[in-house]
Amino acid sequence: MSESSDGAIRQLLDHLRQEREALRAGRFEELGPLIEHKEALLAGLAGTPGARLARVQHMAQENQRLLKAAIEGVRAARTRLGEIVQGAQGYHSYDQRGRAQRISPERPTLEKRA
C-alpha cells in the first residue's frame, strides 16, 4: 500500500464523516461544496485497487442511505403540509342522499365591543 494512496483514503474517509454529520444534522446547505471536494478526492484515488477501497465504499453507501432517507422525509413533510393547507380550505363529503358537497371552514366573525 503506497503512502500517497493511504493518505488519500484517509482524507476521503474524513470527508465522508463530515458529509455524514452534515446529513444527520440536516445541514443540507453544506452538501454542495462537500460533493465538489469529494469528487476531487475520488479523482486522486484513480487506479487504486478496489479491495483497498472497501471501507470507503461502505461509508459512501451509508451516506447515500442517509441522503435517501432525508429526501424521503422532506417529501413526506411536503405532502403533509399540503394536506394541512387543503384541510384548512375545506373538504368534500357526501350528504345523506349521496350527493357531493363541499364543507368549508367557518369564517371567524368580528365582534366589536364598546
Side-chain angles (χ1 to χ4, degrees), residues 39-57:
E39 289 173 353
L41 290 171
L42 287 170
L45 290 174
T48 304
R52 293 181 49 207
L53 298 174
R55 187 168 173 208
V56 170
Q57 181 181 12

Side-chain angles (χ1 to χ4, degrees), residues 17-79:
R17 285 184 193 101
Q18 290 175 359
E19 186 178 82
R20 179 185 63 214
E21 292 307 314
L23 285 166
R24 285 185 173 176
R27 298 186 313 259
F28 303 118
E29 69 280 359
E30 295 177 16
L31 294 178
L34 285 173
I35 289 171
E36 291 174 14
H37 185 239
K38 180 171 58 176
E39 289 173 353
L41 290 171
L42 287 170
L45 290 174
T48 304
R52 293 181 49 207
L53 298 174
R55 187 168 173 208
V56 170
Q57 181 181 12
H58 175 72
M59 192 175 283
Q61 288 172 339
E62 176 67 14
N63 285 359
Q64 181 65 31
R65 187 187 65 75
L66 289 171
L67 184 58
K68 182 179 178 185
I71 290 169
E72 289 174 6
V74 169
R75 281 187 187 136
R78 278 180 47 188
T79 299

Side-chain angles (χ1 to χ4, degrees), residues 77-96:
R78 278 180 47 188
T79 299
R80 183 65 182 130
L81 284 173
E83 292 168 351
I84 291 169
V85 168
Q86 186 177 5
Q89 295 171 350
Y91 63 96
H92 288 87
S93 184
Y94 298 94
D95 66 11
Q96 293 173 343

Side-chain angles (χ1 to χ4, degrees), residues 87-92 101-107:
Q89 295 171 350
Y91 63 96
H92 288 87
Q101 65 180 2
R102 176 153 176 81
I103 300 175
S104 298
E106 292 184 23
R107 300 281 179 198

